[in-house]
Each structure stands twice: as structure tokens, then as C-alpha cells.
Amino acid sequence: MKTQAKLIVIMAFIALSLIKCETALDPNYKWLMSLTQPPGENENAQVVGEAAVDPGSSTVVAPVGEQEFELQVSDITGTTDFIFDTTKTITIQITVVDPIAPVSGCMVRFLDVVDPVTSRVIFKAVTDGSGNVKGSFTVNSTTNQVRLVVDVFGETIIRDINIGSVKQINRTLTFLSQTTPVTIIDSDNDGVADEEDFYPNDPSRATKINYPSDGGYYTIAFEDLFPKQGDADFNDYVVRAKFEEDLNTEGKVVRIRGNFLHIAKGAGYNHTFHLNLPNVTGATYTLKRYKPDGSLEFETTKTVESFMGVEVMPNSSTTLSSSNSNTNQTLVLGKKGEIEIVLANPISKLDLGPVPYDPYLYVINTKKEIHFAGKYFKEDGTDIYIDPTGFPWALMIPGDWQWPYERGNIHEAYLDFRAWYTSEGNEHNDWYNFPVTGKVFPIN
Ligand SMILES: [Ca+2]
Ligand SMILES: [Ca+2]
């Protein structure tokens, strides 16, 4: 008898191992895999929902027999105002319901798909008590397709969405039979399984989003003569900038990180560089500045009731040793500012707004602030930061952008630039990848 019992245990173990192996390959059976996880691995687990679950788990929905669903597509298409954007931001509302009630706890992901093996998370959240996920994602304007992935009932529902003319992705997933809960391994009990949780031991955070999504940087370039029209060389003050957002389970932003490297100063004026986060209500931030050799030069931590006017980079006469704008120069890197902002209250992506948020240049000589277009308006409704010819004083470009040489201008350095903005972004939205050799400052 003992031998028989042993044999049964061994057989059962082998069977379980096979299931695990198979489920690891097939995302449709991920829920089954979670059932095979040994209980009690995580001591701090709680029971969530009505089902009795093992320690180290919380409740998600699982299939009862074969699940059929309907996907209602109510995406909103149209054009948004063109304000010299090289990125686009699309708002999201995804709802999951079954015949009885909204389905909470479903993982909703949006991915920037680079190739068949590479994709990057651009938004992620779990459906709330109303079965909803709301937020937004920001991608380069050249991105034409994103992937929606919804994990529900252990099934993974995947839809590729052409975002060419989409302003809002609005979809309702209706399951035709009722759902029942199963367990996931969730060490911090935030409702996101460990394997999906970028911060598996921090219940306040679940996801990290990079801007740009490739983990590289944008180039932010200012003209500094405001309110006078600039000379369009876009080299007066240039930084390389990258951002990260930490999202909680609901997809709300709880932390923001920004990284700014001073890279050109083709200007007689001096400046300071600042950041506003207009709708943030309270934060503690840590700002560090590094010398070009990487050594820490300055560090401060402050708690503030709003996040407005924070000086990220000091006087530009002290942050870069070369103008990096003349033909006889080679690229010299300047100082770098790094800021991490821990928000007092989670904020919806819809309230926070997209990167780069509201960075601005303060020109010491003229005492003027210079912001991106589309944010500040006169009483008559016209944009303060669009000049009479329809031109802005600030641009943000994805990646390694080469600014025009001193006494040059963006029109002769980038021959597709004019067609891009006169078509309101519809044509040549990759204009910045095609500089005219000899008209731009070499960055390599
Ligand atoms: Ca978790
Ligand atoms: Ca977490």
C-alpha cells in the first residue's frame, strides 16, 4: 500500500509539473498555473474577495467552462489641435462586465509593439469595482499601432489597434457567462500578481512607464528671444530629457522621475530651467545635480504643497562649458539634473497630463518665462507661446536630435519640417530623422 501511495504522489507531481510547463507557454492558461503554485510562500498575504484563498494570494476571476465574450468598440476618432507635437497622447476607457456585475481585478495593458519579440508597456492598470480602467498613454507620433491585452478569466484577449486617427480608445468587454474567483500570487496584496508587478513588495506601486518607451530620451530645444520672434535655430537652450512614471494598481501616477542633461547653449542670454506639474496637490521631491564627470554637485529634498516653478537646472552660464553650436566645436556634455517626485496623492493620468508636463525656461536677462505652446492663453484665447507667424518657442523631439548650427535655422536644416507643420503633423512626422548634413551640430 505504501509503495502504491508513493507512486500516486509521484504520478500526481509529474502531472502537475506537466501542467505548469504547458501553462508557462500558453498565456490562456495562466490562471491554471496560478492554481498550481504552492500555498504559503508569502506570509503577508490577505484574503481579498469572497473566496477562501491560500496565504500569499488574492482573488481574481477565473473561467467557468468555456468563456465567450463580445467586444464593443466605441473608439473616438478625429484630430487633436496641432501644437508642434512629436508625440501623441490617447485617452483610454476599458470596461469589463459579465451578465451579473462589473468584473474587477482584470489586468489591462497597452503595449508599444516594436517587433514580434519586443514590446513595451505604455499603460497598465487593473479594473476597479465598476469594471473600469481609465487613463492615457503617450507614444511618438510615428507610432501607428498599439496592442491592447486584457487578462480575464485566465484568458488573454489581444487586440492590435490602429491609432492613426484615434483620440480615445473606448471598449467594453462583455462576458456572456458569470465569473468566479481564483487565486494569484501577490506578495504585496495590491491586486497585481507578482509576475506582473514591477514593484512586487510595494503595494503603492505596480508599474513603471518609460518616456520615451524605449528608455532613451527626448531632446527639448528652446528659442530664448520671447516675446520677440526667434531666429529658429532651436539651439539657444537644449536639454536631453527622459521621464518615468510609477503607476499604482489603478493606473494612477504615484511617482515621477525626470532626468535633464544640458547639451547646448547657442545664446548670449543666461537661463534657468524649471518644471511645473500644475494639478499636483502636494509632493516630496529629491533633486540631484551632477557635474559632467558624474560626480554629485548638489542635492536637496523638499516637501511642497504644489509643484510649481521648481528650478531643476541653475544659471546656464554654469552648466555647460561649450555652446555646442559652432562649426569648429565637438560635442561637450553639460551638467545633469535628476528629480524624483513622490506625490502626496495618486493622480489620474488624465489630470496630470502627458510628458514633458510643463517644463519652462526662465531667461535671466529678459525676466521672461518660455513655455511650450498649448498651455497658456491670453484673454482673447490666443496662445501666449505661439508667435504671430504661428511658431512656438519650444520643441520636444524624440531621441538624439541634432539642432541647427548658430546662424542656421530649422527650415534649412530639416527640409521636411515645413511640410510637417503646414500639414499639421499629417505629413513627414519623422522629419527630425533627416537633417541636412553640414547644417546641424554633430552629436556623435
Ligand atoms: Ca502585487
Ligand atoms: Ca506592487
Side-chain angles (χ1 to χ4, degrees):
M1 281 298 283
K2 269 187 177 175
T3 314
Q4 264 185 337
K6 265 186 190 168
L7 200 65
I8 288 167
V9 169
I10 290 167
M11 297 275 284
F13 181 77
I14 290 169
L16 208 59
S17 304
L18 286 173
I19 289 169
K20 265 189 157 178
C21 188
E22 187 187 349
T23 56
L25 294 170
D26 185 348
N28 290 337
Y29 292 94
K30 202 182 278 174
W31 68 275
L32 198 59
M33 190 168 83
S34 70
L35 285 176
T36 66
Q37 300 279 3
E41 282 188 343
N42 305 290
E43 293 178 353
N44 298 324
Q46 293 173 352
V47 176
V48 180
E50 56 187 1
V53 295
D54 298 320
S57 318
S58 63
T59 304
V60 294
V61 288
V64 181
E66 195 169 302
Q67 296 297 322
E68 291 186 18
F69 64 91
E70 291 171 355
L71 182 63
Q72 184 192 347
V73 178
S74 317
D75 296 350
I76 298 170
T77 57
T79 52
T80 45
D81 287 345
F82 176 76
I83 40 172
F84 291 79
D85 278 327
T86 58
T87 60
K88 56 185 165 189
T89 298
I90 292 174
T91 57
I92 302 159
Q93 174 151 0
I94 305 294
T95 305
V96 183
V97 298
D98 73 12
I100 307 298
V103 181
S104 61
C106 300
M107 176 64 75
V108 174
R109 277 168 289 176
F110 281 87
L111 306 176
D112 185 353
V113 179
V114 180
D115 59 48
V117 292
T118 312
S119 61
R120 300 161 184 150
V121 175
I122 50 177
F123 184 79
K124 188 159 126 178
V126 167
T127 54
D128 64 14
S130 306
N132 287 323
V133 155
K134 292 178 186 175
S136 71
F137 62 78
T138 299
V139 290
N140 294 350
S141 298
T142 49
T143 302
N144 291 317
Q145 186 171 287
V146 297
R147 179 166 295 168
L148 167 64
V149 181
V150 184
D151 288 331
V152 59
F153 306 143
E155 289 184 57
T156 300
I157 292 154
I158 299 173
R159 290 289 182 279
D160 284 335
I161 301 174
N162 186 314
I163 55 168
S165 60
V166 173
K167 289 163 67 173
Q168 183 175 351
I169 296 173
N170 218 329
R171 301 193 173 200
T172 302
L173 195 58
T174 305
F175 279 80
L176 304 181
S177 51
Q178 202 191 341
T179 65
T180 53
V182 288
T183 59
I184 55 171
I185 302 300
D186 180 10
S187 299
D188 60 6
N189 298 301
D190 62 0
V192 175
D194 285 4
E195 61 183 17
E196 289 285 341
D197 195 334
F198 192 84
Y199 301 101
N201 298 306
D202 181 349
S204 73
R205 298 187 278 172
T207 306
K208 186 180 86 152
I209 307 286
N210 292 311
Y211 302 94
S213 70
D214 64 3
Y217 45 81
Y218 304 101
T219 304
I220 293 177
F222 288 95
E223 285 283 289
D224 70 358
L225 295 181
F226 174 86
K228 290 182 190 156
Q229 205 174 318
D231 58 1
D233 58 13
F234 283 92
N235 66 20
D236 297 347
Y237 188 91
V238 184
V239 290
R240 286 179 179 164
K242 62 199 295 183
F243 303 91
E244 295 175 359
E245 289 173 351
D246 290 338
L247 311 185
N248 66 10
T249 306
E250 296 175 279
K252 288 185 174 174
V253 180
V254 294
R255 286 192 198 201
I256 299 163
R257 285 175 292 277
N259 182 312
F260 308 91
L261 174 68
H262 193 195
I263 197 86
K265 182 184 179 290
Y269 287 168
N270 292 322
H271 333 78
T272 49
F273 178 76
H274 302 252
L275 183 64
N276 286 342
L277 300 171
N279 290 326
V280 162
T281 54
T284 298
Y285 71 84
T286 298
L287 172 65
K288 296 177 182 177
R289 296 196 192 112
Y290 296 90
K291 292 178 184 173
D293 66 7
S295 60
L296 184 66
E297 179 183 70
F298 173 86
E299 180 172 2
T300 186
T301 297
K302 281 186 180 160
T303 297
V304 290
E305 291 187 0
S306 66
F307 194 94
M308 297 296 284
V310 173
E311 184 181 294
V312 177
M313 295 294 280
N315 191 319
S316 59
S317 66
T318 68
T319 53
L320 185 61
S321 63
S322 163
S323 73
N324 286 338
S325 65
N326 292 317
T327 50
N328 60 350
Q329 296 170 328
T330 54
L331 182 71
V332 173
L333 300 182
K335 292 181 182 176
K336 184 168 70 174
E338 271 185 8
I339 192 162
E340 180 169 49
I341 305 147
V342 181
L343 304 184
N345 305 295
I347 184 171
S348 164
K349 284 288 298 160
L350 305 175
D351 294 328
L352 177 63
V355 294
Y357 318 112
D358 182 14
Y360 68 92
L361 201 65
Y362 176 73
V363 184
I364 294 167
N365 309 65
T366 62
K367 299 183 170 61
K368 295 291 184 188
E369 290 183 8
I370 304 178
H371 294 256
F372 276 76
K375 297 178 188 299
Y376 294 89
F377 299 89
K378 296 175 194 162
E379 277 184 10
D380 65 3
T382 55
D383 194 320
I384 293 171
Y385 294 104
I386 289 286
D387 75 16
T389 66
F391 227 67
W393 280 267
L395 288 174
M396 182 174 83
I397 300 110
D400 248 342
W401 186 62
Q402 301 181 74
W403 49 90
Y405 276 125
E406 201 59 52
R407 289 176 291 280
N409 68 66
I410 195 168
H411 305 283
E412 63 178 32
Y414 288 89
L415 300 180
D416 295 334
F417 178 71
R418 193 180 299 273
W420 172 67
Y421 74 81
T422 55
S423 71
E424 304 209 312
N426 289 310
E427 295 170 18
H428 297 290
N429 63 8
D430 58 353
W431 62 270
Y432 45 79
N433 289 330
F434 303 100
V436 176
T437 308
K439 299 282 186 187
V440 293
F441 190 82
I443 52 172
N444 297 313

